């Protein structure tokens, strides 16, 4: 989604559907567990390829094959953009609970997008945003655009569920093809910068968001409004409650201007429907699996031996040959980072499953490091025996190429696509996008100087490309591997 998603989680995480709460000893936080699904209420899926759909009431649900790792990011636990790496880098991380952990329910259902967004649903959202006019269907996107002078609001909604929507407000003046030569103006689909002013209060921003959240059916969402952008725009983030459970990665974001009206926003219009029900594990086992996934990546080339060490022996000053000491880098000997966990909430987190974005039963842990703000890490709660291993390439295909792009996010009205990947510190990178009605394929090109001495260390890089049309419900594909890229 757009960059409005709030990645900070409060120290005490509260859910509307709490069944039990246990005060942490000395930690000041609260552990929460929600009530289990009533027996016989949900039905399993009929086939592995339709894991999110409800099927026959007899038999076990099909296994889930989570793309991009159990926690939603490649090779490790889930982490919100901008937060510390839950794996702790080369040395890893150990998450330690500051109190008893809840058992949670015995089973829970996945939820999946289903259906098509109607004109009436778009109109209801538009009215809540203060937009006049009727939506028109352009390809697979419902659109209400600004006037001929490019001033006013614009709303784009993908027709296919979950109905990704984006909203921008234009102040008027030359935009896109209307730009006068030599004049600075934003490209099509990008709102002009705020003219300044003082941000509204948190209470006022939340009040301004109420009509929009009501139109989305998210009256009971957990709402925060602590973030301020550009010194004048208050950001409201709402994490909806779906199926009685709090969610993660399914947020609605709204930018409230100094005049108290929404100037930008994004989210999902269609509420996911209940699918197959799976046995789930308790918080203690999920935390153990999170720590297993957070052991670290190992050294990445910093330190180490300047030259090749002797093969077998080394000679001391006394003339005696002693076994050679192993070549170690500094990071080899450092202990893993220990991070307290102050809260655990059973909920639903957005995961990619068989090419679809589903909400999967997940434990949401609040990590509270001593030297940084609290953040949320996630661990899938579905019992391990119901998680399918990653697909292996056929014998005649050899080893499948590794996906280069780790994740993506969109901004403004969906035309700004930012991709994140790991690259070298001494190389320069460019991103190119090829668009089709079904997908957007992004290729990362690297340019390096072979004659330049460079330390072998990777850094996280984000590049942004401008699309010809809003991303909508199109998938983002990594050109290097052909794999679907997960959304931030």
């Amino acid at each position: 989604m757009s960059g409005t998603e709030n990645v900070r989680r409060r120290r005490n995480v509260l859910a509307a559907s709490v069944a039990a709460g246990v005060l942490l000893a000395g930690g000041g936080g609260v552990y929460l567990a929600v009530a289990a699904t009533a027996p016989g209420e949900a039905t399993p899926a009929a086939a592995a390829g339709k894991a999110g759909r409800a099927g026959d009431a007899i038999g076990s649900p099909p296994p889930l094959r989570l793309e991009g790792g159990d926690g939603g990011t490649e090779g490790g636990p889930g982490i919100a953009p901008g937060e510390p790496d839950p794996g702790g880098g080369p040395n890893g991380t150990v998450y330690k609970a500051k109190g008893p952990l809840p058992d949670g329910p015995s089973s829970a259902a996945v939820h999946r997008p289903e259906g098509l967004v109607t004109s009436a649903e778009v109109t209801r959202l538009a009215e809540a945003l203060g937009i006049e006019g009727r939506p028109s269907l352009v390809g697979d996107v419902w659109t209400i655009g600004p006037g001929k002078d490019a001033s006013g609001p614009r709303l784009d909604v993908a027709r296919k569920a979950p109905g990704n929507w984006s909203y921008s407000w234009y102040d008027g003046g030359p935009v896109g093809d209307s730009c006068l030569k030599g004049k600075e103006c934003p490209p099509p689909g990008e709102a002009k910068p705020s003219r300044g002013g003082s941000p509204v209060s948190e209470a006022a921003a939340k009040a301004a968001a109420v009509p929009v959240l009501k139109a989305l059916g998210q009256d009971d969402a957990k709402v925060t409004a602590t973030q301020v952008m550009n010194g004048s725009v208050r950001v409201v983030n709402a994490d909806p409650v779906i199926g009685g459970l709090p969610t993660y990665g399914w947020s609605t974001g709204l930018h409230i201007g100094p005049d108290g009206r929404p100037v930008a926003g994004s989210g999902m219009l269609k509420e996911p429907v209940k699918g197959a029900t799976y046995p789930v594990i308790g918080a203690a086992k999920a935390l153990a699996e999170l720590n297993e996934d957070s052991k670290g990546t190992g050294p990445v080339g910093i330190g180490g031996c300047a030259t090749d060490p002797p093969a077998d022996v080394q000679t001391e000053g006394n003339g005696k040959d002693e076994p050679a000491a192993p070549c170690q880098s500094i990071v080899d000997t450092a202990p893993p980072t220990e991070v307290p966990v102050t809260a655990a909430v059973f909920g639903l987190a957005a995961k990619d499953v068989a090419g679809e974005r589903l909400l999967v039963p997940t434990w949401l842990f609040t990590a509270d490091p001593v030297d940084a703000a609290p953040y949320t890490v996630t661990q899938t709660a579905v019992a391990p025996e119901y998680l399918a291993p990653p697909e292996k390439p056929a014998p005649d295909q050899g080893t499948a190429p590794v996906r280069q792009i780790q994740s993506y996010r969109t901004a403004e009205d969906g035309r700004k696509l930012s991709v994140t990947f790991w690259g070298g510190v001494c190389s320069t990178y460019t991103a190119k996008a090829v668009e089709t009605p079904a997908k957007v394929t992004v290729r990362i090109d690297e340019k390096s100087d072979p004659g330049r001495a460079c330390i072998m260390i990777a850094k996280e890089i984000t590049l942004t490309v401008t699309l010809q049309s809003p991303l909508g419900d199109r998938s983002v594909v990594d050109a290097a591997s052909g794999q679907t890229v997960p959304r931030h």
Side-chain angles (χ1 to χ4, degrees):
M1 22 183 333
S2 71
T4 61
E5 182 175 339
N6 182 6
V7 297
R8 302 297 182 199
R9 292 295 190 262
R10 290 175 295 179
R11 203 172 294 261
N12 297 329
V13 183
L14 299 179
S17 56
V18 174
V22 180
L23 185 64
L24 287 175
V30 176
Y31 281 102
L32 303 175
V34 295
T37 303
E41 187 176 283
T43 55
K50 304 294 183 182
R53 298 182 185 273
D56 298 325
I58 301 175
S60 299
L64 290 174
R65 178 172 282 112
L66 303 180
E67 299 175 8
D70 181 18
T73 56
E74 188 72 26
I79 184 69
E83 298 292 4
D85 179 4
N91 304 313
T93 298
V94 174
Y95 293 98
K96 288 196 173 183
K98 294 299 182 181
L101 293 169
D103 294 329
S106 60
S107 63
V110 300
H111 288 68
R112 66 181 304 276
E114 190 172 274
L116 298 175
V117 175
T118 66
S119 174
E121 290 171 322
V122 177
T123 300
R124 185 172 65 246
L125 175 60
E127 290 175 349
L129 289 166
I131 303 175
E132 298 180 352
R134 300 184 58 173
S136 59
L137 189 60
V138 181
D140 289 326
V141 178
W142 290 104
T143 297
I144 301 179
K148 293 182 180 180
D149 63 349
S151 63
R154 177 183 178 123
L155 175 65
D156 292 297
V157 184
R159 184 167 176 256
K160 183 179 178 182
N164 292 302
W165 63 270
S166 61
Y167 163 71
S168 297
W169 182 275
Y170 298 83
D171 290 334
V175 174
D177 295 337
S178 307
C179 284
L180 301 176
K181 187 174 182 180
K183 298 282 187 178
E184 291 188 3
C185 61
E190 183 172 314
K192 294 181 70 175
S194 170
R195 294 180 177 177
S198 299
V200 298
S201 67
E202 292 185 32
K206 290 179 180 180
V210 167
V212 179
L213 296 178
K214 185 175 182 179
L216 295 170
Q218 297 179 5
D219 310 59
D220 54 357
K222 186 186 72 174
V223 179
T224 59
T226 58
Q227 183 183 358
V228 174
M229 295 181 60
N230 301 323
S232 60
V233 177
R234 177 78 63 178
V235 179
V236 176
N237 291 283
D239 292 312
V241 175
I242 295 178
L245 296 174
T247 59
Y248 182 82
W250 207 265
S251 299
T252 294
L254 287 170
H255 292 187
I256 309 300
D259 59 356
R261 69 180 182 180
V263 296
S266 64
M268 278 73 73
L269 183 53
K270 279 282 192 183
E271 179 173 333
V273 299
K274 189 175 184 179
T277 297
Y278 289 84
V280 295
I281 60 177
K285 186 172 182 179
L287 187 63
E289 292 182 356
L290 175 63
N291 282 325
E292 183 68 23
D293 291 338
S294 305
K295 285 186 174 180
T297 59
V300 291
I302 308 176
C305 300
T307 60
D308 292 335
D312 296 309
V313 298
Q314 63 183 11
T315 302
E316 299 292 343
N318 56 13
K320 294 182 179 180
D321 292 337
E322 300 289 343
C327 176
Q328 290 185 317
S329 63
I330 296 175
V331 294
D332 287 326
T333 58
T337 302
E338 186 173 307
V339 177
V341 169
T342 56
V345 179
F346 187 83
L348 299 170
K351 312 281 184 181
D352 291 312
V353 180
E356 286 188 289
R357 193 71 163 168
L358 306 185
L359 284 169
V360 178
T362 300
W363 281 102
L364 314 177
F365 295 104
T366 299
D368 194 1
V370 295
D371 56 351
Y375 60 93
T376 298
V377 286
T378 69
Q379 185 67 27
T380 300
V382 174
E385 58 268 28
Y386 290 91
L387 296 177
E391 289 183 328
K392 295 181 179 180
D396 58 343
Q397 293 179 338
T399 303
V402 177
R403 191 179 76 232
Q404 184 176 9
I405 301 172
Q406 300 299 305
S407 61
Y408 77 92
R409 65 178 181 270
T410 56
E412 301 301 337
D413 67 344
R415 284 183 171 85
K416 291 293 185 181
L417 176 66
S418 298
V419 295
T420 300
F421 58 95
W422 290 93
V425 295
C426 298
S427 297
T428 56
Y429 297 88
T430 56
K432 296 181 180 179
V434 177
E435 302 183 46
T436 69
K439 64 182 180 181
V440 175
T441 303
V442 181
R443 187 181 78 245
I444 304 297
D445 293 323
E446 177 183 4
K447 184 178 181 181
S448 59
D449 183 358
R452 179 183 177 186
C454 183
I455 184 171
M456 294 181 63
I457 182 172
K459 67 175 181 178
E460 191 176 57
I461 300 171
T462 298
L463 297 177
T464 300
V465 294
T466 300
L467 303 179
Q468 296 297 318
S469 59
L471 179 63
D473 62 351
R474 292 183 292 175
S475 59
V476 177
V477 176
D478 173 44
S481 65
Q483 297 179 15
T484 301
V485 179
R487 195 184 190 100
H488 254 321

